[in-house]
Amino acid sequence: MPHTKVQAQLQSNLQTAYRQAIDADKKLDELKKSGHAKFSAIFKKEQQFTTQSDRFKPYVQELATEMEALPKDKEAFTQALNQLLPKLALLLQTLEAFKQNAK
């Protein structure tokens, strides 16, 4: 698959994550106001994110920055993609699980 198709799919998934992150962050704000959500970061440092936040949007922003910095060289692109995709998948899975549990 050419880089442009991969990048278009990544952009689509990132947009989905962004929309879900906004909703999830609103719910987290509500939980925090009611005395819940007493944690300092959504993901542990071992989960490859450099961001440490108690909201989802900063993680989406980290992935967007990484996506914008994807190299053009095929080998470097593949290597960078192999680091980006697991984090994107983890973020989307976590957002979906949060959405299901927050109902």
Side-chain angles (χ1 to χ4, degrees), residues 18-103:
Y18 179 75
R19 287 190 295 272
Q20 291 177 355
I22 290 172
D23 293 339
D25 286 350
K26 285 180 187 176
K27 183 66 176 173
L28 284 171
D29 288 338
E30 292 171 16
L31 289 170
K32 195 159 197 137
K33 285 180 185 176
S34 65
H36 302 290
K38 298 178 182 181
F39 54 90
S40 61
I42 293 173
F43 297 109
K44 297 177 183 178
K45 290 181 181 181
E46 307 85 57
Q47 292 173 305
Q48 300 176 346
F49 282 98
T50 55
T51 300
Q52 292 293 295
S53 177
D54 62 349
R55 296 295 180 266
F56 285 99
K57 193 174 170 189
Y59 294 102
V60 174
Q61 290 170 330
E62 177 181 328
L63 292 176
T65 300
E66 288 182 21
M67 194 181 102
E68 288 175 7
L70 283 172
K72 304 295 181 212
D73 173 71
K74 183 178 180 180
E75 189 174 311
F77 179 83
T78 302
Q79 185 177 4
L81 196 61
N82 287 336
Q83 292 175 353
L84 178 73
L85 288 178
K87 293 193 311 189
L88 178 59
L90 178 62
L91 178 63
L92 289 169
Q93 290 167 355
T94 305
L95 282 164
E96 184 60 31
F98 181 77
K99 181 179 173 183
Q100 295 302 318
N101 290 323
K103 287 184 178 181

